[in-house]
Amino acid sequence: MKTRILVIEDEVKIARFLELELTYEGYAVEVAHDGRSGYEKAVSGNADLIILDLMLPGLSGIEVCRRVRRESDVPIIMLTAKDDVPDKVMGLDSGADDYMTKPFAIEELLARVRVVLKRKGKKAENGNTFQSGQLILSKDEHRVTYDGKEISLSKKEFELLSYLMENQGIVLSREKLLDHVWGFDYFGDTNVTDVYIKYLRNKIDQKYGVQFIHTIRGVGYLFKQNEE
């Protein structure tokens, strides 16, 4: 499933431009043109990130942000034509994760989207829960779910996935995975990491039609959010 972005922007041309650019980048995009409908979509939908204009009819972007924050920790990037420091502070204080001033370069906005999504994916609310897209791993509960559906993993599969998600965005060598999951004094087949990576791919990537675990030839493996 694609990463979902909700764009709340009253200027139709800008909203359409963002929709086209984000869709081209592979995101699933929904658009709202006023504060009230944007808020309703934000709390009733399942967006992974919200791009929110500050000046909106109906409800202001600040009020939308405040109301969304009472119900969700979805990442929010604020857009505004205002470049005043007090407006930036107000936006961040209301719960926004980042802030961009119009006019903006689309390349910079896309970069900030990637950074905010990566930051969200690394850790959930506590240090023992990791989330990437719809995949959630809880160390405390020793539980893994995708889109709310529980995934049954063996102890070593769980430990391997946990280490991969904990180091999301970092290439890990087979030796590093072997040392962390099986221990530095493990004397078994060094290809055991490849075998267990295959197990995880069968249970997650292939089963749900997504790709989290990437092979980096000659180096090892990389875990990153790349839901189809």
Side-chain angles (χ1 to χ4, degrees):
M1 185 179 291
K2 294 181 179 180
T3 299
R4 300 167 297 275
I5 296 180
L6 171 62
V7 175
I8 308 176
E9 166 63 66
D10 64 320
E11 294 185 51
V12 176
K13 287 184 178 179
I14 293 178
R16 181 58 177 161
F17 171 68
L18 290 173
E19 182 181 13
L20 291 173
E21 290 291 336
L22 291 165
T23 299
Y24 180 78
E25 291 296 317
Y27 300 109
V29 185
E30 188 175 12
V31 177
H33 295 295
D34 65 85
R36 293 195 182 280
S37 64
Y39 168 70
E40 289 170 2
K41 289 182 178 182
V43 296
S44 63
N46 51 1
D48 296 300
L49 181 143
I50 298 173
I51 296 176
L52 174 64
D53 186 33
L54 181 65
M55 304 296 288
L56 292 169
L59 285 177
S60 70
I62 294 293
E63 186 59 29
V64 171
C65 190
R66 285 176 179 155
R67 294 189 184 191
V68 169
R69 272 293 166 264
R70 293 174 194 152
E71 304 183 43
S72 170
D73 63 351
V74 59
I76 297 173
I77 298 177
M78 270 200 166
L79 299 179
T80 181
K82 293 185 175 182
D83 195 23
D84 295 334
V85 171
D87 288 313
K88 293 183 178 181
V89 172
M90 190 182 299
L92 296 171
D93 282 349
S94 66
D97 296 84
D98 204 350
Y99 194 108
M100 284 199 70
T101 304
K102 300 175 185 176
F104 54 84
I106 188 62
E107 293 81 8
E108 182 181 356
L109 176 61
L110 292 172
R112 294 194 184 203
V113 166
R114 290 191 293 270
V115 168
V116 170
L117 286 171
K118 184 177 179 181
R119 191 188 306 148
K120 174 200 173 188
K122 275 199 171 183
K123 285 193 179 184
E125 290 182 359
N126 67 71
N128 288 321
T129 301
F130 301 90
Q131 180 172 355
S132 187
Q134 299 189 75
L135 183 67
I136 301 174
L137 180 148
S138 170
K139 283 187 173 182
D140 293 335
E141 299 177 358
H142 204 275
R143 185 168 181 257
V144 178
T145 60
Y146 184 85
D147 195 19
K149 303 176 184 69
E150 190 152 357
I151 301 171
S152 177
L153 299 180
S154 69
K155 185 175 184 294
K156 288 302 180 187
E157 288 169 352
F158 184 90
E159 290 175 1
L160 178 58
L161 180 61
S162 175
Y163 190 57
L164 286 167
M165 292 185 75
E166 194 171 346
N167 291 278
Q168 185 173 179
I170 300 172
V171 179
L172 299 171
S173 67
R174 288 172 174 81
E175 292 76 17
K176 200 163 190 176
L177 292 171
L178 194 66
D179 287 349
H180 184 86
V181 179
W182 283 269
F184 67 90
D185 56 351
Y186 179 77
F187 293 108
D189 186 353
T190 55
N191 290 329
V192 69
T193 52
D194 299 329
V195 173
Y196 274 79
I197 287 289
K198 183 178 179 181
Y199 292 161
L200 289 178
R201 281 176 168 159
N202 287 340
K203 291 184 176 182
I204 301 172
D205 292 29
Q206 292 181 19
K207 182 173 181 178
Y208 294 103
V210 295
Q211 186 177 13
F212 287 112
I213 304 171
H214 302 257
T215 301
I216 308 301
R217 291 186 181 277
V219 183
Y221 295 100
L222 169 68
F223 187 98
K224 67 176 181 177
Q225 182 178 342
N226 188 23
E227 297 178 285
E228 300 299 330

